[in-house]
Amino acid sequence: MTATALERAERRKAWAFALPGLLWTALFFLVPFAYMVAISFWTRQGREIVATWTLDNYVAFFAKAHFFKGLMVSLEITATVTVISVLLAYPLAWIIAERVPKKWQRFALVMAILPFWTSYVVRSYSWLLVLSKGGVVNQALLSIGIIAEPLELSANRTGTVIGFVHFFVMLLTLTIYANLIQLSPNYRRAAADLGANAFQTFWHVVLPLTLPGIMVGAFLTFVLCIGDYITPQILGGNNELVLPQVIMLQLGRRADFPMAAALSLVLMVVVTLAYIACARWLKMERT
Amino acid sequence: MTKPVSGGLARRMLLATAATIALSPAGAMAQDELNALVWCDHTDPALVEPFEKANNVKVNLKEYEGTGAAISIIEQSRPGDWDVLVIDAVDVPRAIDMEILGEMPADKLPLGDLFPEVRMDATTTRDGKVYAVTEKFGYNTISYDKTKVDPADMEDLSVMWSDKYKGRIALYDYYLPMVGLTGVAIGKKTADLKQDDLPAIKEKLFEMKKVSRQVSDVVASQTALATGEVDIVVGGGEWLTAGLSAEKPNLDWTIPKQGALRWAQSIGVFKNSEKQDLALKFVQYIVSPEGQARLATSSCYWAMPSNAKAGEHLTDQQKTALRWDKQPEYLKNSQLYPVADADMDAAMQDVWTEMLQQ
């Protein structure tokens, strides 16, 4: 067999291996996605969905303040949650990686992922029991006399952010921890040899080297947070709508699939932009 | 090119999964099975099991929220998949227009036993033919904790946009009764509501939102009231507090002087059901005095039975919680939900969504 024939055989084999995956992706992602794109250009007129090929839904998104505000609220909450989660997760991951004895690290990680074992809805309702006016926090603060009136910790953005942060701190802790334990101690030794103190070593060596882990975790946090509507619904008290809630209203109450598809595409565009920014940053860091 | 696709490919593909799940109990389509599209109050075993045992059938129940969701499910289903439909009484004409409901023999239904105000012949019948029968009704009004608010205040809806109970109010998250109730509060009749009325209603809704703590669904509203998170639920009624009357006697409800909205739900048989007789039997059971008493006190939510004879099967405590004796007065001071065409419906939903975003 010639080299060219061998190459062709190898290529065929590669395609044969890749084909099931490609078919799966085409069938369950590309086709539904293309269909959703198409629907987003249709409209609901009266009780009917009509294939009109119009930009009406996208125009409505910008023209109707409550749609656009949904995106703004989503972005504000997601940005807040991501920043707070990173600030809390990094020290936690560092403590687990650097201060917890090796034999206890696995236990610490299990504790970190324990919240993932329960339903998202249950966790949100549990937070409601903690944060509500008659909840654990307010009762404790009232009983020791720190406050005279219950704090407004639920049915507002504070409640939503606390619920989200609890969930995503654990996720970020895992990604940052994975990065930290891969870091060779030789970097720190080298920095110390060159006269750097602990803070300088962290700031100039450890932090830059763990930024990829932070970015990956932050991106996951961004994607999961911006696409969720359960926590804002339960802990936010429906006092401001995030974009996924607005999408749910289009589906559940109006059966306006074209508008819901258009709003979903807007959400996808935002996530894609976040991904591109993240990917470009990581690429730049590597070069 | 403009091509209507309603009921076709669009929703069929998007809701394929939901429809599959919904229809899975019907897979076998055994002769002794009945498929009913219902609200959660019908899923109480205490209601359904006596019928199942008496008739040796299995009733497969699929819950839905809102007529829009029900219509989506029906459009994704094959003719004959469903046998019984429970639907908002005001939406029955819509279902008749869609030709999904079949005629039921009037002489085999206890129509004469229903409270006259809730028979609603104008919506449940057409051309003298009965397509649905009102099975339960109640009020969207004010629910409150009488130990924490002044009950006299609750007799005036306008207190809901004053600062007196700021931060202690939950608004029921359903645009239709809330828009109607707000309309009633400012002197509009629900039957005459037009898009021109919406700016004034919107203004009042925005004011209510400013003083409210949350906007929540049935369960969240009930929980908030029961746990003391809020002291008032605007849009609530006996369906919110009656079921808790035994363990939470501090919860109460009232119809204020401006009036309240009256909701009613109807039950009918699908035109394409292959089990017309069995489906009719189920409807007859639900509207019988025994079925009505069980439906009225269903674990999901309590409300008034349409059949006046159901009182014989309710305990005194249940009657008190439902305000059985006050019905003539309450019926007089309540109006039906607004009946909206598609444009008005969309406009009301826009107003509601805007209010949520405030």
Side-chain angles (χ1 to χ4, degrees):
Chain A
M1 196 181 275
T2 66
T4 318
L6 263 174
E7 277 173 19
R8 274 204 297 268
E10 283 299 316
R11 210 174 292 135
R12 275 199 297 273
K13 202 190 286 179
W15 273 107
F17 277 117
L19 201 59
L22 290 172
L23 277 175
W24 182 272
T25 305
L27 199 61
F28 294 107
F29 177 69
L30 292 178
V31 172
F33 180 68
Y35 191 65
M36 192 172 86
V37 172
I39 289 177
S40 75
F41 292 102
W42 298 355
T43 56
R44 183 161 182 102
Q45 293 174 8
R47 310 271 184 222
E48 287 187 334
I49 291 173
V50 181
T52 51
W53 301 105
T54 166
L55 288 170
D56 281 0
N57 295 324
Y58 293 97
V59 172
F61 170 72
F62 290 103
K64 292 187 176 180
H66 54 275
F67 285 155
F68 188 71
K69 194 176 173 192
L71 176 62
M72 290 297 107
V73 171
S74 288
L75 286 172
E76 285 166 19
I77 290 176
T78 302
T80 310
V81 168
T82 306
V83 169
I84 295 174
S85 299
V86 168
L87 291 176
L88 291 176
Y90 201 97
L92 186 59
W94 188 84
I95 289 168
I96 296 174
E98 301 291 329
R99 288 289 176 264
V100 174
K102 284 275 180 218
K103 62 177 181 178
W104 288 106
Q105 282 189 12
R106 183 172 292 184
F107 176 73
L109 290 173
V110 169
M111 294 305 286
I113 61 168
L114 212 55
F116 292 90
W117 293 6
T118 54
S119 150
Y120 203 59
V121 177
V122 170
R123 254 178 296 144
S124 293
Y125 272 111
S126 303
W127 269 110
L128 200 56
L129 297 176
V130 174
L131 299 174
S132 59
K133 265 187 352 191
V136 177
V137 172
N138 272 318
Q139 288 304 315
L141 293 176
L142 284 167
S143 64
I144 54 177
I146 290 180
I147 54 171
E149 289 291 321
L151 299 173
E152 295 290 341
L153 298 172
S154 63
N156 52 24
R157 190 180 289 195
T158 306
T160 303
V161 169
I162 291 173
F164 271 140
V165 165
H166 166 247
F167 185 50
F168 295 121
V169 157
M170 302 308 167
L171 187 73
L172 266 157
T173 301
L174 293 178
T175 60
I176 297 168
Y177 169 83
N179 217 183
L180 276 170
I181 57 162
Q182 285 173 13
L183 210 61
S184 168
N186 289 336
Y187 289 116
R188 268 169 282 195
R189 285 190 202 120
D193 285 347
L194 291 168
N197 61 28
F199 177 76
Q200 287 169 325
T201 303
F202 170 76
W203 191 252
H204 295 291
V205 178
V206 177
L207 185 62
L209 287 171
T210 50
L211 274 177
I214 297 172
M215 289 301 283
V216 169
F219 176 68
L220 286 175
T221 300
F222 184 91
V223 172
L224 294 171
C225 187
I226 205 165
D228 181 74
Y229 68 92
I230 295 171
T231 299
Q233 187 89 19
I234 296 171
L235 289 168
N238 243 356
N239 278 321
E240 55 180 359
L241 300 178
V242 293
L243 194 55
Q245 282 177 291
V246 179
I247 294 171
M248 286 304 294
L249 285 177
Q250 306 311 307
L251 292 171
R253 292 201 175 152
R254 292 183 130 158
D256 190 345
F257 291 94
M259 191 70 223
L263 295 175
S264 300
L265 279 171
V266 169
L267 198 58
M268 279 190 77
V269 167
V270 171
V271 171
T272 306
L273 289 175
Y275 172 76
I276 290 169
C278 193
R280 275 179 66 88
W281 185 88
L282 284 173
K283 197 175 171 186
M284 274 164 40
E285 280 297 298
R286 282 199 299 271
T287 55
Chain B
M1 190 181 76
T2 298
K3 185 178 63 154
V5 292
S6 182
L9 192 58
R11 274 168 286 178
R12 200 152 44 238
M13 283 192 72
L14 278 168
L15 284 180
T17 311
T20 305
I21 294 164
L23 291 173
S24 54
M29 294 301 283
Q31 194 58 40
D32 58 351
E33 288 196 13
L34 201 64
N35 298 317
L37 200 51
V38 298
W39 288 356
C40 67
D41 51 347
H42 293 68
T43 59
D44 187 346
L47 170 69
V48 178
E49 276 177 8
F51 175 79
E52 289 182 322
K53 280 181 186 158
N55 295 280
N56 192 28
V57 297
K58 170 84 185 91
V59 182
N60 300 311
L61 300 157
K62 165 71 182 166
E63 264 183 73
Y64 73 89
E65 286 180 21
T67 303
I71 288 173
S72 292
I73 293 169
I74 294 163
E75 285 178 344
Q76 311 318 310
S77 309
R78 295 162 302 177
D81 278 343
W82 298 104
D83 303 301
V84 174
L85 175 68
V86 170
I87 188 170
D88 238 328
V90 292
D91 286 323
V92 172
R94 198 166 150 192
I96 298 172
D97 288 340
M98 290 174 64
E99 299 184 351
I100 56 177
L101 287 177
E103 184 189 353
M104 292 189 290
D107 59 342
K108 292 189 176 168
L109 296 167
L111 298 177
D113 296 337
L114 304 190
F115 288 100
E117 293 89 344
V118 300
R119 255 186 76 150
M120 298 174 67
D121 288 341
T123 54
T124 56
T125 69
R126 186 171 291 178
D127 301 329
K129 296 174 182 172
V130 177
Y131 288 92
V133 54
T134 311
E135 54 160 26
K136 195 171 178 178
F137 72 98
Y139 308 94
N140 292 94
T141 177
I142 300 175
S143 312
Y144 59 94
D145 185 332
K146 61 188 172 195
T147 62
K148 295 185 181 166
V149 302
D150 181 354
D153 285 342
M154 303 298 110
E155 300 304 322
D156 185 357
L157 260 171
S158 65
V159 79
M160 301 310 154
W161 47 80
S162 73
D163 279 346
K164 184 161 185 187
Y165 296 104
K166 190 173 183 179
R168 297 162 64 188
I169 299 172
L171 306 180
Y172 173 43
D173 183 17
Y174 188 18
Y175 71 101
L176 208 53
M178 290 300 286
V179 167
L181 188 62
T182 311
V184 166
I186 60 171
K188 310 275 181 194
K189 284 191 184 310
T190 54
D192 303 332
L193 274 189
K194 301 277 183 303
Q195 291 207 36
D196 292 345
D197 299 319
L198 291 180
I201 290 173
K202 184 163 97 173
E203 192 185 323
K204 288 296 169 197
L205 282 171
F206 281 18
E207 286 177 31
M208 263 202 268
K209 177 70 186 298
K210 273 185 199 156
V211 296
S212 70
R213 175 175 165 77
Q214 63 188 65
V215 186
S216 40
D217 61 18
V218 176
V219 177
S221 300
Q222 194 172 41
T223 306
L225 191 61
T227 58
E229 276 304 295
V230 296
D231 300 327
I232 302 166
V233 178
V234 181
E238 77 285 72
W239 49 273
L240 207 66
T241 61
L244 297 170
S245 58
E247 61 266 47
K248 293 273 180 189
N250 53 319
L251 303 185
D252 209 342
W253 62 281
T254 188
I255 291 187
K257 64 182 181 191
Q258 291 92 338
L261 246 63
R262 186 169 78 241
W263 59 266
Q265 60 193 55
S266 299
I267 187 167
V269 173
F270 275 89
K271 185 181 174 185
N272 291 316
S273 166
E274 290 165 7
K275 297 160 192 169
Q276 293 283 335
D277 291 343
L278 192 57
L280 178 63
K281 225 173 185 178
F282 185 71
V283 172
Q284 287 171 322
Y285 163 70
I286 293 293
V287 294
S288 70
E290 298 88 346
Q292 285 279 279
R294 291 185 191 119
L295 181 65
T297 55
S298 159
S299 57
C300 185
Y301 58 91
W302 285 28
M304 276 292 291
S306 303
N307 191 327
K309 290 185 177 172
E312 298 160 18
H313 300 270
L314 291 168
T315 65
D316 288 343
Q317 187 268 328
Q318 288 170 333
K319 282 185 186 173
T320 304
L322 291 169
R323 306 282 180 79
W324 186 264
D325 296 335
K326 288 197 171 181
Q327 290 311 307
E329 175 192 330
Y330 285 177
L331 283 165
K332 203 175 161 189
N333 197 21
S334 57
Q335 301 176 39
L336 288 173
Y337 277 26
V339 181
D341 60 18
D343 289 341
M344 177 69 178
D345 193 57
M348 286 195 292
Q349 292 198 40
D350 274 346
V351 165
W352 188 250
T353 312
E354 275 182 64
M355 186 276 289
L356 290 174
Q357 270 305 22
Q358 286 303 300

